[in-house]
Each structure stands twice: as C-alpha cells, then as structure tokens.
Amino acid sequence: MAIAKDTVVQFHYTLKDADGTVIEASHGNEPMAYLHGHGNIIPGLEEEMAGKEAGTEFVATVSPEKAYGQRDETAIQRIPAKHLQGAKKWKKGMVAHVETDKGQRQVTVIKVGKFMVDVDANHPFAGKELTFEVKIEDVRDATAEEIQHGHAHGIGGHQH
Ligand code: ZN
C-alpha cells in the first residue's frame, strides 16, 4: 500500500549534511516509525514520503525551511552556569538542559566563563540543508488509537 494520511510507516534512514557527513543513521537499530499526515517528521521529508511503498529507496534533500528552520541569532544567550543541568563541568559543544518559563529546553554550550556560560538554543540542525537516504520498510493502516494519539505505536514508535 502507498503512504497516505493515517498510515504508519517504518523506515531506515541515513541523514547527511551538505558536506556529505553522516549526522544520524537508524541502521543497526530498529527502524523509525511515524504516523503519516500528522507532522511527526519534518515537513520536507513527509512530503517526499507521500505515495511511496514498502521496499522503495530514495534520496531527499530538504531545505532548512522544510526541516528545522533558519538559525535565530537571538537564541544565543549568556546565562549563569548554575542554571545548566546535565553535567558538573561544562565544555564547548556539550548539550545541556535549561529550565525556562516555557519548560525544559535543550541548548548547546558555546563558551564557558567562570560563572556565566554562552549557550545556543537553536536546534542543532537549524539552518542546515539535510539529505536523507531512506528505505521504506513497512506501510500499514494506523489503528484508531494511533490516530487519536497522533503518533505511531509499536516498533520504532511510541511505547506506552
Ligand atoms: Zn500513543
């Protein structure tokens, strides 16, 4: 069956940046599963998935606008080091959690001072053109429960 709204898709992928460097890959793990038509994956990849069937392999290059958006330079902030959660000592490039009034956010440490730390709250893939090499493993109808929850269950999906 072809991928359409309210189908659950299992797929393997390799994600590369514009230089061809592998950023992430699902191979060696369970395939990733998502509920199509519910914004579970980035828009650019969901568009490419539509209409394809199990066994199909394809390569899709997705612009930042259809992936994680452009970088927001105002998302770089200087905050007290004691507000960072996740490690005792901080170094450039480490990922920390910070409590904000909008809940917990993930930030990347870009500069460490004695008491203050510069962090970047942009998504690590913001501003990047992303290339996905995809192999579709399985396509099935979603259950009523999956549609109600808005996500896939089972292998590669949500575990309740
Ligand atoms: Zn659920």
Side-chain angles (χ1 to χ4, degrees), residues 24-73:
E24 274 180 16
S26 66
H27 299 276
N29 297 309
E30 286 174 345
M32 161 136 178
Y34 80 97
L35 176 61
H36 190 84
H38 291 257
N40 289 177
I41 59 173
I42 59 168
L45 186 58
E46 191 161 41
E47 276 175 23
E48 294 282 341
M49 289 282 198
K52 295 193 168 69
E53 298 187 5
T56 302
E57 292 183 57
F58 66 95
V59 177
T61 297
V62 179
S63 65
E65 289 73 22
K66 290 193 171 181
Y68 295 93
Q70 293 293 356
R71 287 182 50 80
D72 171 10
E73 295 311 320

Side-chain angles (χ1 to χ4, degrees), residues 77-81 84 90 109 111-113 115-119:
Q77 290 184 354
R78 181 161 290 179
I79 62 169
L84 298 184
W90 293 100
V109 174
K111 192 171 164 218
V112 182
F115 301 109
M116 302 296 279
V117 176
D118 290 354
V119 298

Side-chain angles (χ1 to χ4, degrees), residues 10-141:
Q10 283 185 0
F11 67 101
H12 275 295
Y13 70 96
T14 301
L15 171 57
K16 294 178 178 175
D17 66 14
D19 302 326
T21 305
V22 174
I23 306 174
E24 274 180 16
S26 66
H27 299 276
N29 297 309
E30 286 174 345
M32 161 136 178
Y34 80 97
L35 176 61
H36 190 84
H38 291 257
N40 289 177
I41 59 173
I42 59 168
L45 186 58
E46 191 161 41
E47 276 175 23
E48 294 282 341
M49 289 282 198
K52 295 193 168 69
E53 298 187 5
T56 302
E57 292 183 57
F58 66 95
V59 177
T61 297
V62 179
S63 65
E65 289 73 22
K66 290 193 171 181
Y68 295 93
Q70 293 293 356
R71 287 182 50 80
D72 171 10
E73 295 311 320
T74 67
I76 293 174
Q77 290 184 354
R78 181 161 290 179
I79 62 169
K82 63 182 180 189
H83 289 181
L84 298 184
Q85 299 169 6
K88 283 251 182 293
K89 226 172 160 14
W90 293 100
K91 278 196 300 196
K92 184 176 189 258
M94 289 174 78
V95 173
H97 294 281
V98 181
E99 290 297 337
T100 73
D101 46 4
K102 292 178 195 131
Q104 200 179 61
R105 285 198 73 169
Q106 194 169 298
V107 299
T108 306
V109 174
I110 51 177
K111 192 171 164 218
V112 182
K114 197 164 169 43
F115 301 109
M116 302 296 279
V117 176
D118 290 354
V119 298
D120 183 352
N122 283 293
H123 189 282
F125 300 162
K128 288 193 174 169
E129 182 184 88
L130 302 173
T131 296
F132 292 86
E133 296 171 8
V134 176
K135 177 156 192 251
I136 298 167
E137 299 290 334
D138 186 63
V139 183
R140 64 169 169 83
D141 283 321

Side-chain angles (χ1 to χ4, degrees), residues 145 149 151-153 158 160:
E145 192 185 42
H149 288 195
H151 55 229
H153 292 160
H158 275 249
H160 290 284

